[in-house]
Amino acid sequence: MKFGIVRFPGSCDDIDALQAATRVGEAVLLWHADHDLQGVDAVIVPGGFSYGDYLRAGAIARFAPVMAQVEEFAREGGLVLGICNGFQVLCEAHLLPGALLPNVSLKFVFRQVELEIVRADTPFTRARIPGAPTPRLSIPVKHTTGRFYAPEDELDRLEAAGQVLLRYAPGHNPNGSLRDIAGVCNELGNVFGLMPHPEHAVDPLSGSTDGLTIFDSMRAHVEQHVLA
Amino acid sequence: MSSSTSSLEARHRQLGLTDDEYARILDRLGRTPGDVELAMLSLMWSEHCGYKHSRRLLRRLPTEGRHLLLGPGENAGAVDVGDGLAVAFKVESHNHPSAVEPFQGAATGVGGILRDVFAVGARPIAVLDSLRFGEPLDSPRSRYLLERAVAGIGHYGNSIGVPTVGGEIYFEQSYEQNCLINAMCLGLAPHERLIRSAAAGPGNVVVLLGALTGRDGIGGASVLASAELGEGDEAKRPSVQIGDPFTEKKLLECCLELLDRELLVSLQDLGAAGLTSAASEMAASGGVGITLDLCQIPLREVDMEPFEIMVSESQERMLCVARPECVGELLAVCERWEVLATTIGGVTDGDALQVLHRGSVVADLPVSVLIDDCPLYDLRPEPPSSELYSPPEAVLGGGESPAETLLALLRSPNLASRRPVFEQYDPIVQSRTVRRPDEADAAVLALPDGSAIAVSIDGNGRRVACDPRRGAAEAVYECAANLACVGAEPLGLTNCLNFGNPEKPHVAWQLTEAVEGLAEACEALGVPVVGGNVSLYNEAPSGPIFPTPVVGMVGRLPDATRAGRLGFAAEGDAIALVGAFEPSAAGSELSKLRGYAPVGELPIVDAQTLRSAHAAVRSGIRSGALRSAHDIAEGGVAVALAECCIAGGLGASVRLPDGLDPFAEAPGRAFIVAGPPAALEGFAVIGQVGGDTLAIAGLLEVDVSELTSARERGLAEWV
């Protein structure tokens, strides 16, 4: 199982994602200007401030050469995970529904938040046993532009289609996201974006290892469906 | 060099040089300086670059230590942290720009200190900030400065991917006109990647990396522009620099790759006085000359004057020296990182900083005149004959119950929770952070071998105002105490001396006494000073700021998994008081709330006793005997106990030793620790953890929830 982590100018959590992915498999960096995904089994678009967040968070990164390959990889069913800035990039690239708007506070917010897993049967959340007593994850958020938005009818459609995978637990919504949505996937279910940073919750030293759920799930899915 | 002597004589005063200093220039050069030369000399001989009022004094600070790898004089100091790794660190002020434009002032303060650290080859891994503002409740300006400075720090640090792991904020009337923004950065490097700034090898090439050079930040020289050289609107450009963390992020990654590929002979950041300072310092420390061709420098604005190019403080630029055969590869690496790189000159034999512009020589100065001949002044210290600072407005009358007093302290701006501030910073990027703000007295960052470094920044101007020598020493002791609480042993410290006008005898006295106090404390603990910064002339018509030496200390602990926490951890744990402790009311937070001026003697320190207390806490944390440790600082033992309860979400009941004033202060000497009763034998046990209240026998009993809400509401109501 080999993860590829995209590195744009201005990516900050790229090495963090690389280290987290290394805990469950192999991982390599993918340079923004290259057209080569190096045969990876899953792509992570990491957090940070790609291109300085100039114009709009994620708006420039979406045109980086490597993104053409990522889009093709996603169309073919490959697993793509977007974390924070990566979520913003995937929304800008129309690989994910909705948009991320500035936080209600208009300020950067760092906070350890509790998340509820809405669906535990997806390639990104399956490592948590369905029906387990505490289907909650403790994972930090850190962003200025993380308020998930979509028109009401679109939100209804997303919920009905089971595309909402993570919600902020009651009282934990840090940014004013509609319906407490913390993470959504595409219709096919192979592209997933979330504002919280699972790569910062993989080491007991940091206080929580709940983020491993996401990486473990991806490995399990790839091993079962791709590498089998 | 065409200007007449008469116009220059008038100009040197506008540039801040005295008549004596100008005479010294004529004497050293043996001729009249040209326009560009005078601009360069005025900056290099300024207090900011030349340290002319503090350099002699700073020689008093001990700079030797067995862990020291780079000492004062380099872009940043560095200590050995084992496993072939070094930690480089430095604190620097950006006070004056921040008072004018707090967002960009604070942002570029962070940007500047980051460059200092990667200039020595270290990857920046943490930022801390020490901030001072006027009284927030009375002053909308102070609230504005706080909000924008915090936003600026977050903007730069968050965007560049360096965690902000700690800091401190105090509010005092004396900072109303002169806020303080001190930023500290730590970087990590393998020993062999540490690089010095000394230019070497005549024939080598000088390359400018990073942003375009513009008219921003033409500090002292803006006076020049408004005189005769510049005309019209250019003269009125704002002198505060504008930061671009995205450019610096690329510059940082690019420089580290250049060093990893061993393509650089030396590296230097462009800070105050821009190219002038960077080139002179590189040449001086290498004992060589440098020639620069200004026509090669990529400019943001056309038709910049040569002096503007030489003194521009445009951000996100670095100067490096490389061997000619490496330049091709160097430029290719820069192109990959989308970093502008231009060959702008070369290293020469001799001692000349020579500047060419359109084929003619516009400056040709001996580097020794720029650097070594800067005049050094002795201070004329005299203790003040009357009180320098007026008493603050009283918030408490003195008739309150101990419980009411404790809640008032927890709610007060200086002690309230900093959560509304630190939630605006990313403390975890780079995945090293083991202890975040509010979890422990010091930030803790894990190293690859399983050990960790700890860092703390401290300074209490009000106590230094009471007693400059003991107050300054307390900043060192408190930093060391903070490190002990997480199990770390100090390796080195950096300091930023924020004072008023040193030409005034009472400020000179504060400065002299404070440096003596810092030196005594460093000697008592055996901790060297690896570098620092001085910010003088922080003075308003109403008087100087509180004398504010800020100390940043770095230490090491062998096992990251055992890093201490401050909050009580388990019901039934015994609580002990560690350290000899004779606190005083003078200079305390309570004295401020009661409206007393900062006067009175501070308690003395017995170095041996203090060291034993620190060692006891450190070893208790390292062995796991202690489950929490917290130093007793502002607000005294009562506030320290409340903070342990709040952080752990647990109550406590204690009986204080007879005669101990619960709100008096003597920071750095004593600790509240807790652990299993059996493990605390040998400690002075004063109570136990448990319940929902903090109960201090004969004094007070308050719900932990009430303590928490007082402390949480303090800043949140107006940040």
Side-chain angles (χ1 to χ4, degrees):
Chain A
M1 165 70 187
K2 184 167 151 191
F3 291 88
I5 291 91
V6 177
R7 177 177 238 194
F8 300 110
S11 292
C12 295
D13 301 275
D14 45 354
I15 304 301
D16 309 78
L18 185 84
Q19 290 170 349
T22 305
R23 287 172 183 265
V24 303
E26 279 180 76
V28 294
L29 287 174
L30 304 173
W31 186 247
H32 65 97
D34 292 346
H35 292 271
D36 178 10
L37 295 190
Q38 300 181 35
V40 298
D41 303 304
V43 170
I44 300 177
V45 189
F49 290 75
S50 58
Y51 300 91
D53 269 3
Y54 293 140
L55 182 61
R56 192 173 60 235
I60 300 176
R62 162 242 197 294
F63 294 104
V66 75
M67 283 305 294
Q69 266 57 49
V70 173
E71 286 172 36
E72 193 183 323
F73 180 75
R75 273 198 302 277
E76 289 167 359
L79 290 191
V80 179
L81 170 68
I83 302 169
C84 195
N85 189 229
F87 187 8
Q88 295 160 346
V89 172
L90 296 178
C91 288
E92 287 287 340
H94 304 297
L95 289 174
L96 286 174
L100 294 149
L101 304 183
N103 300 344
V104 168
S105 68
L106 301 180
K107 288 178 181 167
F108 184 94
V109 61
F110 161 77
R111 199 173 290 164
Q112 191 80 19
V113 296
E114 300 274 320
L115 302 171
E116 288 177 349
I117 297 178
V118 182
R119 279 185 63 192
D121 58 347
T122 77
F124 301 94
T125 52
R126 54 182 273 174
R128 248 302 131 175
I129 301 149
T134 53
R136 273 195 177 197
L137 307 176
S138 170
I139 293 181
V141 293
K142 49 190 190 89
H143 57 250
T144 310
T145 310
R147 177 160 58 103
F148 185 78
Y149 172 83
E152 282 297 316
D153 52 348
E154 173 80 354
L155 291 171
D156 290 341
R157 198 192 58 72
L158 289 176
E159 302 224 43
Q163 287 177 248
V164 175
L165 305 193
L166 289 178
R167 254 189 246 282
Y168 299 108
H172 285 261
N173 185 339
N175 50 33
S177 287
L178 295 181
R179 303 191 190 180
D180 295 329
I181 291 171
V184 295
C185 68
N186 63 347
E187 280 180 43
L188 274 178
N190 64 314
V191 180
F192 173 51
L194 76 170
M195 285 314 293
H197 284 262
E199 81 281 20
H200 285 291
V202 295
D203 185 342
L205 271 179
S206 71
S208 165
T209 55
D210 291 354
L212 280 174
T213 299
I214 309 289
F215 302 101
D216 277 335
S217 298
M218 291 171 75
R219 182 185 61 180
H221 176 86
V222 167
E223 283 176 350
Q224 186 182 346
H225 296 280
V226 184
L227 300 176
Chain B
M1 289 178 238
S2 56
S3 295
S4 70
T5 306
S6 59
S7 66
L8 276 174
E9 276 176 0
R11 197 171 295 139
H12 74 257
R13 289 195 204 111
Q14 294 169 333
L15 288 169
L17 292 167
T18 66
D19 290 352
D20 285 346
E21 286 168 345
Y22 185 64
R24 187 180 172 96
I25 287 172
L26 294 179
D27 175 61
R28 293 296 193 275
L29 291 182
R31 62 177 171 84
T32 309
D35 298 342
V36 179
E37 292 177 332
L38 190 64
M40 291 164 65
L41 283 161
S42 74
L43 285 168
M44 291 309 292
W45 286 23
S46 69
E47 185 62 45
H48 194 75
C49 296
Y51 291 85
K52 51 192 177 185
H53 286 95
S54 57
R55 202 189 296 187
R56 284 187 174 150
L57 202 56
L58 295 175
R59 291 179 187 147
R60 172 69 185 91
L61 297 174
T63 56
E64 304 278 322
R66 62 195 168 100
H67 303 287
L68 195 76
L69 296 171
L70 287 180
E74 292 298 334
N75 285 301
V79 293
D80 175 30
V81 293
D83 197 29
L85 290 176
V87 167
F89 60 101
K90 188 181 185 183
V91 62
E92 208 163 67
S93 65
H94 224 218
N95 303 336
H96 301 287
S98 301
V100 177
E101 209 298 277
F103 183 89
Q104 291 296 344
T108 55
V110 173
I113 197 67
L114 290 166
R115 282 195 303 283
D116 275 322
V117 163
F118 70 80
V120 299
R123 171 176 289 280
I125 59 166
V127 167
L128 300 91
D129 311 282
S130 177
L131 313 179
R132 303 288 183 278
F133 303 98
E135 290 295 348
L137 302 175
D138 313 335
S139 164
R141 173 177 154 80
S142 288
R143 295 197 295 273
Y144 158 77
L145 289 174
L146 170 73
E147 182 186 326
R148 298 306 294 159
V150 167
I153 290 166
H155 167 67
Y156 214 103
N158 297 342
S159 315
I160 200 170
V162 178
T164 299
V165 298
E168 48 153 25
I169 308 173
Y170 290 101
F171 303 94
E172 302 284 354
Q173 179 59 34
S174 82
Y175 304 113
E176 172 71 26
Q177 295 301 320
N178 292 275
C179 63
L180 301 184
I181 306 291
N182 291 184
M184 176 177 176
C185 177
L186 282 73
L188 192 61
H191 284 192
E192 63 275 11
R193 201 173 67 194
L194 283 182
I195 185 169
R196 294 178 186 266
S197 58
N204 283 342
V205 177
V206 175
V207 182
L208 180 64
L209 307 176
L212 297 172
T213 297
R215 284 198 171 97
D216 50 338
I218 297 184
S222 60
V223 190
L224 188 68
S226 65
E228 283 148 310
L229 291 174
E231 275 157 22
D233 292 344
E234 291 94 325
K236 299 180 185 68
R237 296 286 168 128
S239 61
V240 176
Q241 310 89 322
I242 306 296
D244 177 3
F246 176 55
T247 297
E248 183 139 311
K249 171 70 172 165
K250 293 187 295 180
L251 184 61
L252 154 68
E253 298 296 343
C254 179
C255 286
L256 293 179
E257 183 170 339
L258 292 173
L259 290 167
D260 280 339
R261 291 175 181 237
E262 300 183 350
L263 294 172
L264 303 183
V265 173
S266 64
L267 183 62
Q268 165 85 39
D269 83 300
L270 273 74
L275 264 180
T276 298
S277 166
S280 331
E281 283 169 17
M282 284 182 110
S285 40
V288 293
I290 284 181
T291 296
L292 300 177
D293 181 357
L294 299 187
C295 294
Q296 305 304 318
I297 295 177
L299 301 178
R300 194 184 305 147
E301 298 169 70
V302 290
D303 296 334
M304 280 177 67
E305 296 286 340
F307 86 88
E308 293 179 309
I309 299 171
M310 282 307 291
V311 306
S312 162
E313 292 184 2
S314 291
Q315 298 289 292
E316 291 94 23
R317 297 180 301 160
M318 303 287 281
L319 199 59
C320 66
V321 171
R323 292 189 302 279
E325 64 271 22
C326 295
V327 172
E329 190 181 345
L330 183 156
L331 296 177
V333 170
C334 292
E335 192 176 338
R336 178 174 143 88
W337 282 107
E338 299 172 14
V339 166
L340 198 57
T342 319
T343 298
I344 63 163
V347 178
T348 57
D349 283 315
D351 172 45
L353 177 55
Q354 195 177 56
V355 181
L356 309 176
H357 186 243
R358 293 181 188 153
S360 53
V361 176
V362 294
D364 190 351
L365 292 169
V367 172
S368 57
V369 175
L370 283 159
I371 302 273
D372 305 329
D373 286 344
C374 173
L376 298 184
Y377 298 119
D378 283 318
L379 300 174
R380 295 185 309 280
E382 271 174 42
S385 51
S386 58
E387 285 182 20
L388 285 178
Y389 305 99
S390 50
E393 209 167 305
V395 178
L396 299 180
E400 296 80 9
S401 70
E404 286 165 344
T405 305
L406 176 59
L407 290 168
L409 279 165
L410 290 171
R411 210 183 299 119
S412 70
N414 282 348
L415 293 184
S417 168
R418 270 55 187 137
R419 183 182 306 280
V421 170
F422 71 68
E423 277 199 341
Q424 297 183 51
Y425 305 143
D426 177 350
I428 56 171
V429 65
Q430 297 191 24
S431 298
R432 286 188 195 84
T433 310
V434 176
R435 291 292 174 268
R436 304 170 185 177
D438 255 12
E439 290 185 342
D441 283 12
V444 179
L445 301 156
L447 294 177
D449 69 352
S451 69
I453 52 172
V455 55
S456 168
I457 191 165
D458 243 303
N460 184 328
R462 182 154 19 82
R463 294 182 73 80
V464 187
C466 286
D467 186 336
R469 188 179 297 206
R470 288 182 191 166
E474 281 182 352
V476 177
Y477 295 135
E478 187 171 348
C479 273
N482 290 336
L483 296 194
C485 287
V486 296
E489 179 141 39
L491 299 173
L493 68 82
T494 176
N495 65 78
C496 187
L497 303 175
N498 305 275
F499 285 76
N501 179 353
E503 296 164 49
K504 297 185 177 173
H506 54 273
V507 173
W509 176 79
Q510 290 177 328
L511 184 55
T512 311
E513 285 287 299
V515 169
E516 185 59 34
L518 289 175
E520 286 174 2
C522 288
E523 285 161 358
L525 295 177
V527 182
V529 175
V530 308
N533 173 242
V534 179
S535 171
L536 302 176
Y537 301 96
N538 294 289
E539 185 132 4
S542 56
I545 59 164
F546 283 170
T548 313
V550 168
V551 173
M553 193 181 282
V554 173
R556 183 175 173 277
L557 53 153
D559 182 354
T561 64
R562 293 237 164 126
R565 296 176 182 276
L566 79 92
F568 290 139
E571 297 254 356
D573 272 1
I575 301 169
L577 186 62
V578 181
F581 193 47
E582 289 174 21
S584 74
S588 66
E589 288 299 323
L590 182 55
S591 77
K592 175 187 173 179
L593 294 191
R594 287 184 175 162
Y596 295 112
V599 289
E601 202 175 321
L602 301 183
I604 56 162
V605 163
D606 175 64
Q608 182 54 46
T609 313
L610 179 138
R611 281 199 304 268
S612 322
H614 287 206
V617 172
R618 190 163 53 235
S619 68
I621 289 292
R622 287 181 176 191
S623 70
L626 302 180
R627 282 202 272 242
S628 69
H630 184 33
D631 87 307
I632 300 171
E634 286 85 1
V637 67
V639 165
L641 284 163
E643 288 167 343
C644 294
C645 290
I646 293 166
L650 287 169
S653 54
V654 300
R655 175 175 297 279
L656 296 181
D658 286 345
L660 176 58
D661 178 343
F663 302 113
E665 299 176 14
R669 284 93 152 168
F671 303 83
I672 296 291
V673 301
L680 262 67
E681 283 172 19
F683 285 98
V685 172
I686 58 166
Q688 67 171 356
V689 177
D692 300 325
T693 66
L694 170 62
I696 304 178
L699 199 69
L700 57 81
E701 179 163 9
V702 186
D703 283 350
V704 174
S705 62
E706 200 178 346
L707 299 172
T708 305
S709 122
R711 183 169 180 273
E712 289 293 329
R713 278 207 323 266
L715 284 201
E717 282 175 358
W718 47 269
V719 168

